[in-house]
Every structure is written in structure tokens, then in C-alpha cells.
Amino acid sequence: MKLSGLGVWNLYFIVKFALFYYGAIDFDFLSNAAFAALLAIQLKDVRIEKVKHVIAIVIAVILLYKDSWLPPINRLTKQAGNVQDFSFGYFIELMGRVINVDMLLGFFIIVILFWYSSQWIRFTTVTIAGLMFIGWQGQSSLTNNNVNQVAGNNFAAEPQNRESIVTTETQSPEQKLKDFYQQQSLLTSHFPQEYNGEMFDVIILNICSMAVDDLNTIGVSVTDMYKDFDVVFSDFNSATSYSGPAAIRLLRASCGQTSQTALFKDAPEQCYLFKNLEKLGYQNNIVMNHDGHFDEFKGLIKKNGGLDSKPFNIDSMPVAQYGFDNSPIYSDGAVLNGWLDTDAKDCAPCAMYYNTISLHDGNQFVNHARTTSQESYPTRHENLFSDINKFIKNLEKRDRNVMLMIVPEHGAALKGDKVQFAGLREIPSPAIVSVPVAIKFIGPDVQSYSQIVIDESTSYFALSELINKTLQTNLFGGNSSIANLLENLPKAPKVAENADTIMMYVNKRPYIQLDGGDWSAYPQGK
């Protein structure tokens, strides 16, 4: 046994150095250094040496995956059932996002330069120097992080929200998170026993895959998109980046934000928004432009969201798109107006929850050549809001008082970033969870003057409180203004969770924790 050069394995490390420099992967110093040390050991027995290199190939793949920002293997196995539903075309589209042309060209150039210069450059020395530099850089960053923590981590989504969290200068992120959930546990909307004044319908349109960042990507202004709406929340926190948890959080808006695991446990009855409305005489309606089978969405909103009504029948509606799993996605306009012409006539007042996946990643238009999700998103977005605006016109024609709310579930991650390729939402980054929410009050006596834009970070509890205030102020009787409803509106720091993944702000920067590990700054930019 003796030590030797790394040979062709130097190419592996050089490629990883390049990916790490670009920000496409992380780099675990100890694991990679130990792997390099293993490769440097040359065994006398040729057969054992060959076996070592075969094993090394397996280790190299595992190590590269571990250093990547891709979801851990155990999460992929948990999602195996859902992944199996992906169409072949969608798999190809996803592969094109992971391995792009620039990456392949860069890899080709590195390989050619390596083979050309390996005769006169000792690349093992280069690899060792690279490992030492990354190890030193990591130790330096750790020291800086410790200094910053001792200096004080003011935890808030925005400067004006600092008063919402009481912390000491030496608190750890875990303690701050605990304090946040403790304060949120004290929040409950206290609905009146009967509504004051004219009754009104509550209609919530829950849109999958539309964040402020997505709108910026396709050149759509939030205020222009909502130009006919009365209230716009430009920095609403969806608190998660997946549909099921987002829907549950919305349907439990009458209490403060809970942890991810608490979403799938029983909650006090007063937390369920639609149950609170039902006690006031509202008839609950569930409407979707899909069958709700993927990830058991229909079952989730029933079991964990408190919506146990039978969904509106859409079998006879026209199909506008097919999803990533080839399931039919029905026309938003046909479904919304179909409900308005039928079931809406039998309830007064109505509380309607609508869920649409027209903007979901991987959708394809019916009778249309296949396109990527990024290419079709602007058209799908335009079609969706054309249908919504026509639905609003039909609501106005019926002379019914309506409080209409548009609440996106999460973003589509159209651009992606250094950590997650386009469409990947494993980590609830700010670009994915910052969604545009809007409210429109429809009624002849509503005092509406101009659009009110709220830039501070807010979340679901604020929506419940707005409904609660509207029930108590007789807004639709003309006895109050919309501006009065917004006084003392609850704000909320931007904290978001997926399974085993948490994002929150520390010193005005987003930090993440994966699988209960250390907190690290979320890389910004592409």
C-alpha cells in the first residue's frame, strides 16, 4: 500500500470545484477530503485496486448527489408514488432543467483542458490546494456566523415587524422559531354570533403556482394585474411551497401560523375558517378545476381543512389542459360560471372555496403542440385572469354582495436559483412563498375609492381578521369604508416550512434549516 496521485479522479474534483464556485452545488469538505484520501491510497493487489475504483464510482455519485441541492433520497422515496404519476414528457422537461446546454459545454471544455494539460500540470496538487481552500473558507464562514450570532440576530421579515418577536441578542434561531410559534398560538379570530347588516358571499380563489417573482419573470405588474381590486397584498407569506399544506393553512386561517407537522393534526374548531362561516348560516361549497386525486388533495382539505362538502361536479365541463400526470384540467371560466349558474343559486349566503391548477408546472394545452412550462406560463396566466375577470363581471350582474379573495398557494419557481432549478420547490425560498393576494368587494353600496396596496409581510390570519371585521362593520350597507377594515391589520414575519425544511429571516436575510441540521444563509441570485 502506498500513496499516489489521483489520476483521472482529479477531473471529478475539478468539475465539483467549478460547480461549487458557480453555486450549483454545496461542498462538504470532510466527506470530499476523505474520499480524495481514499483514492490516493494505491493497493498492491491489482484486483483489489480495481474493486476499489468500482466502489469509488458509487461513492462519487452518492457524494455528488449529497453535495447537490436536490432533495434527500429519503424524501424522494416518500414521494415515489407521486413521481410515478409524472408523464414521460414531463420527465424529459425536468431533465432539461437539471442539465442545461451551458453546463454541458462547460463540462466539455474542462475535460479537454484537463487531458491537454495533464502531461505538464500535477492536478493532484491542484485538487489538494482546492480542498484546503474550501476547508479554510468554510472555517472562516463558521467563525463569522458565530460572531454574527453573538452580536445579535434580529429576526423579522421586514424592519417594521421587529416588534412582533421578542428576542434576546444571544438567542439561537431555534429559540426564535419557538418564540414565533408560541406567539402565533395566541392568535384566534373571534367571529360574531351573527353578522351585522347586509349579508354577503365569501368567495376564495386559491391559485396554484403564482408568486410575485413569477409575475416579474413574465413582465406582469402585481398592481396592474389587480387594477380592479380594492386591496392588494404585495408580500403575502404562503408559509409553504406545496399545495396541500398551503390549502390547509388557508382553511385554518382563523388561528395563527403553526408548524408543518401540526397541520396534519386536529386543530381547535375555531381555527377552521369555513366552519366559522358555517355557524353564521353560510353554505360551504368546494369547487375545483381538477379531480383532486394527486397527493390526495381532496382528502387533505376535507380531513385537515374542515371542508367536508361534496365538490361541485365538473365532469361535463370542457377540458382546457392536461396536467403533468396527464389528468384533465378543466376550463376555469366554464367551472366558475357553471357553479355560479347552478349551485350558487341555492345558497344565501355562500362560502365558496375554489382551487385551480391551471398554472401548475408541466401542464399542456389541449390540441396544442407540446411546449415547456416556462414557455406556456404567460399564456396560461393570461387565460386564467381573463376567465376570472369574466367571472367577476357575472358576479356584478347578479347584484349580490361578494367579498372575493384571490390567494395563491405558492409560486411556480419559473426562474429557479442557485439552490433549486426551475420548478423545484423543495425549499420554501422567499421567491416561492412571497405571493400576491388581492381582495375585491362587490356590491352597490360599497365605499371604494382607489386601490390600497399593503407592502408589509402578512399571512393567512390577516385574511380571517378581514372577513371577521367585514361581518361586524356592515361594509356592504355603506356604513364603513374599506380603509377602516385595514386598520391594525395583523402583520407576520416571513417563516415558511415544508417537511423537514424551514426558512426564516435572520438579520434581514433568508436562512434555511434542512433535516434539523445547522442554519445557513440561503444563496441569493441565479
Side-chain angles (χ1 to χ4, degrees):
M1 181 188 301
K2 65 177 182 177
L3 294 178
S4 65
L6 299 182
V8 73
W9 281 106
N10 285 300
L11 181 60
Y12 170 82
F13 287 101
I14 290 170
V15 169
K16 290 189 73 172
F17 291 156
L19 291 172
F20 176 64
Y21 174 81
Y22 178 72
I25 64 170
D26 196 2
F27 197 97
D28 186 293
F29 166 71
L30 287 177
S31 298
N32 282 278
F35 183 48
L38 172 66
L39 294 170
I41 298 173
Q42 186 175 9
L43 303 172
K44 292 182 179 180
D45 192 310
V46 177
R47 290 173 298 180
I48 298 178
E49 180 70 12
K50 289 181 178 180
V51 171
K52 185 196 79 172
H53 283 286
V54 171
I55 296 173
I57 292 173
V58 177
I59 295 175
V61 173
I62 294 173
L63 196 55
L64 179 60
Y65 192 93
K66 178 178 180 292
D67 283 337
S68 77
W69 297 109
L70 294 171
I73 294 294
N74 64 323
R75 290 190 211 168
L76 291 181
T77 55
K78 290 178 183 178
Q79 295 292 328
N82 289 337
V83 174
Q84 288 176 359
D85 289 336
F86 290 1
S87 67
F88 177 74
Y90 187 49
F91 266 119
I92 298 299
E93 182 178 339
L94 291 177
M95 288 301 297
R97 300 179 197 174
V98 178
I99 306 174
N100 56 48
V101 175
D102 290 343
M103 187 181 295
L104 291 175
L105 291 175
F107 178 72
F108 175 74
I109 292 171
I110 290 173
V111 170
I112 296 300
L113 289 175
F114 176 80
W115 286 114
Y116 177 76
S117 57
S118 60
Q119 303 299 320
W120 47 278
I121 295 179
R122 295 180 62 84
F123 277 104
T124 298
T125 303
V126 174
T127 298
I128 294 173
L131 288 169
M132 291 176 65
F133 176 76
I134 291 175
W136 170 81
Q137 188 180 51
Q139 184 62 39
S140 176
S141 298
L142 179 61
T143 302
N144 289 336
N145 285 340
N146 289 339
V147 170
N148 287 336
Q149 184 168 321
V150 172
N153 293 328
N154 293 322
F155 168 33
E158 298 293 343
Q160 58 265 36
N161 292 334
R162 289 178 182 171
E163 69 274 10
S164 62
I165 294 293
V166 179
T167 62
T168 64
E169 289 187 349
T170 57
Q171 272 188 313
S172 66
E174 285 80 7
Q175 184 60 47
K176 292 176 181 178
L177 187 67
K178 181 179 179 181
D179 287 351
F180 168 75
Y181 283 129
Q182 174 62 30
Q183 286 200 345
Q184 290 290 308
S185 69
L186 304 176
L187 302 178
T188 304
S189 290
H190 299 285
F191 279 68
Q193 293 184 347
E194 59 182 23
Y195 52 81
N196 176 27
E198 294 188 28
M199 65 181 183
F200 59 94
D201 297 328
V202 175
I203 296 178
I204 301 178
L205 309 183
N206 204 195
I207 298 176
C208 178
S209 304
M210 187 181 73
V212 174
D213 189 68
D214 301 319
L215 298 178
N216 292 336
T217 300
I218 64 174
V220 173
S221 164
V222 172
T223 52
D224 288 346
M225 181 180 72
Y226 288 139
K227 64 180 183 296
D228 294 326
F229 283 72
D230 300 299
V231 183
V232 176
F233 298 90
S234 63
D235 192 23
F236 188 92
N237 177 27
S238 72
T240 183
S241 57
Y242 283 121
S243 297
I248 297 171
R249 291 189 183 279
L250 172 59
L251 296 173
R252 292 187 182 182
S254 295
C255 286
Q257 185 173 328
T258 67
S259 66
Q260 171 84 4
T261 53
L263 292 178
F264 304 98
K265 299 177 181 178
D266 292 337
E269 188 167 299
Q270 63 266 29
C271 294
Y272 297 95
L273 176 61
F274 278 72
K275 286 187 180 295
N276 288 328
L277 293 173
E278 192 173 21
K279 291 176 183 177
L280 290 166
Y282 280 83
Q283 296 181 42
N284 295 338
N285 288 246
I286 302 174
V287 188
M288 301 183 292
N289 75 334
H290 56 100
D291 59 19
H293 86 280
F294 187 79
D295 205 22
E296 299 183 5
F297 182 82
K298 187 164 58 175
L300 281 176
I301 63 173
K302 179 180 180 179
K303 179 179 179 181
N304 303 112
L307 268 182
D308 52 10
S309 303
K310 184 178 179 180
F312 176 63
N313 192 323
I314 58 174
D315 292 342
S316 62
M317 301 293 174
V319 177
Q321 302 177 47
Y322 286 102
F324 57 85
D325 56 352
N326 288 325
S327 63
I329 301 173
Y330 298 88
S331 162
D332 290 290
V335 174
L336 286 170
N337 291 303
W339 170 81
L340 188 59
D341 291 336
T342 55
D343 289 19
K345 293 180 178 180
D346 299 326
C347 65
C350 295
M352 190 268 266
Y353 170 80
Y354 178 68
N355 186 268
T356 173
I357 61 171
S358 294
L359 301 183
H360 197 285
D361 199 49
N363 289 359
Q364 296 294 317
F365 288 115
V366 172
N367 299 322
H368 194 282
R370 185 174 186 88
T371 58
T372 66
S373 301
Q374 289 96 330
E375 290 171 338
S376 67
Y377 190 92
T379 303
R380 290 185 285 130
H381 177 271
E382 183 180 357
N383 292 347
L384 171 61
F385 273 82
S386 175
D387 287 343
I388 289 175
N389 288 329
K390 289 175 183 176
F391 174 63
I392 291 174
K393 296 297 182 186
N394 286 335
L395 285 172
E396 292 171 336
K397 291 177 183 178
R398 276 145 174 91
D399 292 326
R400 289 175 66 157
N401 295 324
V402 179
M403 184 179 185
L404 175 71
M405 312 175 78
I406 293 183
V407 186
E409 294 175 350
H410 52 73
L414 280 182
K415 287 192 307 185
D417 55 29
K418 290 182 179 180
V419 176
Q420 301 182 107
F421 61 80
L424 186 63
R425 294 176 279 109
E426 185 68 19
I427 300 173
S429 68
I432 298 175
V433 302
S434 297
V435 299
V437 168
I439 302 174
K440 184 175 180 62
F441 296 92
I442 302 171
D445 298 320
V446 174
Q447 296 181 27
S448 179
Y449 302 104
S450 61
Q451 183 186 78
I452 301 173
V453 179
I454 298 173
D455 295 322
E456 295 91 351
S457 178
T458 53
S459 200
Y460 301 102
F461 183 69
L463 300 183
S464 176
E465 283 293 273
L466 278 174
I467 296 174
N468 186 16
K469 284 187 176 182
T470 306
L471 288 165
Q472 299 182 50
T473 57
N474 195 19
L475 176 78
F476 291 94
N479 293 347
S480 181
S481 68
I482 295 172
N484 290 338
L485 291 178
L486 303 175
E487 293 179 357
N488 301 316
L489 189 72
K491 308 298 190 301
K494 195 175 264 57
V495 176
E497 281 194 60
N498 288 338
D500 302 317
T501 306
I502 305 173
M503 185 280 295
M504 70 176 183
Y505 274 72
V506 177
N507 288 340
K508 305 179 189 178
R509 290 186 59 192
Y511 275 68
I512 57 172
Q513 182 191 57
L514 305 178
D515 297 312
D518 294 332
W519 289 88
S520 60
Y522 190 85
Q524 301 293 291
K526 179 64 177 174

